[in-house]
Amino acid sequence: MIRIGIICPSEIAFRRFLPALQKANDKIQFTAIGIASPEEWFGDSLSTVSPQQVHEQQAGELAKAQAVVQQYGGEVIVGYEHLVMSDVIDAVYIPLPPALHYAWAKKALEAGKHVFVEKPSTISLANTDTLIHLASSKGLALHENYMFVYHDQISTLEEVVASGEIGDVRLYRISFGFPLRQPNDFRYNPLLGGGALLDAGGYCMRYANYLLGGNAKVVAAQSNYIDGFHVDMYGSATMVNADGQVAQLAFGMDNDYKCDIEIWGSKGTITSGRILTAPAGFVPSYTMKKNQDIVTCPLPADDAFLKSILRFVDCIESSQVREEEYGILHHQESLVEQFKTIANI
């Protein structure tokens, strides 16, 4: 049995990770959740913070962690570093803001713990490669949670395309964007790894690379900014594989909601929404258009978060799967780096 701890009582850990983990508890089990110590939370500014502020911060985080323990068991550990060093866990789940992933994943790996990290793995290719090399040298799993790739709707659409129903694929279009969130959301904070590229664009590139066979490159990229924000707020890109197949991407954090795939073929076109974010139990669908003939068909419901967790278990148990994940992770961050270079960000 793999024992896993969670760094930070985040909303995604409580709402998505733990319910999915419950379905896999014959393989992996939640045993502890960590809250930041005052030193970890406030950093160098701790000396300027009042005792009342420290108390409020600790009380707030503790209350959230205790709510997790009350529902799912385990124990609360004060201090992320104490958690990753603890003998009560074998692995750690990191749902922190992106800029904090590298430091805590590195500490966890150095402590001999397998790492299941939310996307993006880090905010730079160099940092991700450092984690990959460290994990590989210690025989540890390092898994980035782009869970949507494990959803059955992805493979089902792939089968429809492979059947020749829409002929030869001429173009893929992937769009992922959502409206503004609360002003204090980490996505708008450059110090926490905010920005549309890292938050939404990464999804589009991950899916495009999958559709294009795993060897795609970014050949055009554009990032756009909005007055009043200090991070990129929307963008677009073109990716091409070795065979000349093309995917066009668009993403943003100040957009009408879209989460779509369009596959334009010589004989027909497939479109589907919620392709990147379908929750457990949701029944997605796709529309196939052949000139003026249009049909809508259901796609399978699934639990992509559970499948991502099970993939993490496979990484822990199989050196071959670990190596596959290292390669996928490196290529994903390489695509992000290519985008940054072309878009000059």
Side-chain angles (χ1 to χ4, degrees):
M1 175 68 73
I2 300 160
R3 304 166 301 166
I4 192 165
I6 302 172
I7 283 186
C8 177
S10 68
E11 188 265 347
I12 193 173
F14 193 74
R15 181 174 58 88
R16 299 293 303 277
F17 175 75
L18 284 163
L21 189 72
Q22 291 293 98
K23 302 174 188 176
N25 60 11
D26 60 328
K27 298 178 179 292
I28 184 167
Q29 185 177 51
F30 166 66
T31 55
I33 186 163
I35 66 169
S37 67
E39 292 79 11
E40 292 165 349
W41 185 274
F42 294 103
D44 294 338
S45 64
L46 180 60
S47 61
T48 66
V49 175
S50 71
Q52 180 63 25
Q53 288 175 296
V54 172
H55 172 76
E56 289 175 357
Q57 177 272 320
Q58 289 285 281
E61 289 296 287
L62 184 59
K64 289 188 285 186
Q66 287 174 334
V68 169
V69 169
Q70 184 175 4
Q71 185 165 344
Y72 294 101
E75 63 179 277
V76 178
I77 296 177
V78 178
Y80 296 160
E81 186 150 10
H82 291 154
L83 175 74
V84 300
M85 296 296 294
S86 173
D87 292 335
V88 306
I89 66 168
D90 310 300
V92 62
Y93 170 52
I94 304 177
L96 295 165
L100 305 180
H101 289 178
Y102 172 72
W104 291 108
K106 185 171 184 286
K107 285 180 181 292
L109 292 169
E110 288 171 341
K113 304 299 192 294
H114 303 283
V115 171
F116 181 65
V117 62
E118 276 301 330
K119 64 280 173 189
S121 57
T122 73
I123 59 172
S124 77
L125 174 61
N127 283 349
T128 293
D129 278 347
T130 296
L131 295 182
I132 291 170
H133 294 149
L134 180 57
S136 180
S137 70
K138 290 178 168 285
L140 295 170
L142 177 62
H143 176 63
E144 182 180 35
N145 190 32
Y146 276 111
M147 68 189 97
F148 74 89
V149 296
Y150 308 107
H151 198 290
D152 278 349
Q153 67 173 330
I154 299 291
S155 56
T156 300
L157 285 180
E158 191 175 25
E159 291 167 4
V160 175
V161 173
S163 74
E165 187 76 14
I166 63 168
D168 297 326
V169 174
R170 303 302 192 210
L171 183 69
Y172 297 102
R173 286 195 181 102
I174 305 168
S175 304
F176 183 36
F178 44 85
L180 285 172
R181 299 175 182 244
Q182 294 298 316
N184 62 349
D185 194 293
F186 74 83
R187 292 167 180 83
Y188 310 128
N189 187 338
L191 298 179
L192 293 179
L197 171 62
L198 294 179
D199 194 69
Y203 279 91
C204 297
M205 284 186 280
R206 183 74 168 84
Y207 190 24
N209 189 53
Y210 174 92
L211 292 170
L212 295 173
N215 65 358
K217 294 182 179 179
V218 178
V219 298
Q222 174 67 41
S223 279
N224 298 89
Y225 293 77
I226 297 173
D227 289 344
F229 293 90
H230 302 290
V231 297
D232 56 301
M233 292 296 287
Y234 63 101
S236 57
T238 301
M239 290 173 57
V240 182
N241 69 8
D243 297 322
Q245 290 183 302
V246 175
Q248 295 176 339
L249 320 178
F251 52 88
M253 306 192 300
D254 182 32
N255 295 46
D256 175 51
Y257 183 81
K258 286 187 72 173
C259 187
D260 301 345
I261 176 67
E262 177 188 305
I263 308 172
W264 189 7
S266 58
K267 298 178 180 178
T269 301
I270 289 173
T271 56
S272 181
R274 298 302 298 272
I275 196 67
L276 307 172
T277 60
F282 175 78
V283 180
S285 63
Y286 71 93
T287 297
M288 185 184 300
K289 183 184 79 67
K290 294 182 177 180
N291 296 315
Q292 301 308 311
D293 296 326
I294 301 173
V295 295
T296 299
C297 306
L299 287 165
D302 206 355
D303 189 337
F305 214 128
L306 171 61
K307 285 187 169 179
S308 187
I309 291 171
L310 294 177
R311 174 71 174 183
F312 178 55
V313 172
D314 289 343
C315 289
I316 293 172
E317 296 178 344
S318 168
S319 60
Q320 179 179 342
V321 177
R322 283 198 298 275
E323 290 298 324
E324 289 174 3
E325 284 296 297
Y326 298 154
I328 291 169
L329 186 52
H330 170 79
H331 192 74
Q332 172 67 15
E333 288 305 325
S334 296
L335 292 173
V336 175
E337 204 74 12
Q338 290 167 24
F339 185 106
K340 290 178 181 178
T341 300
I342 295 170
N344 195 29
I345 62 171

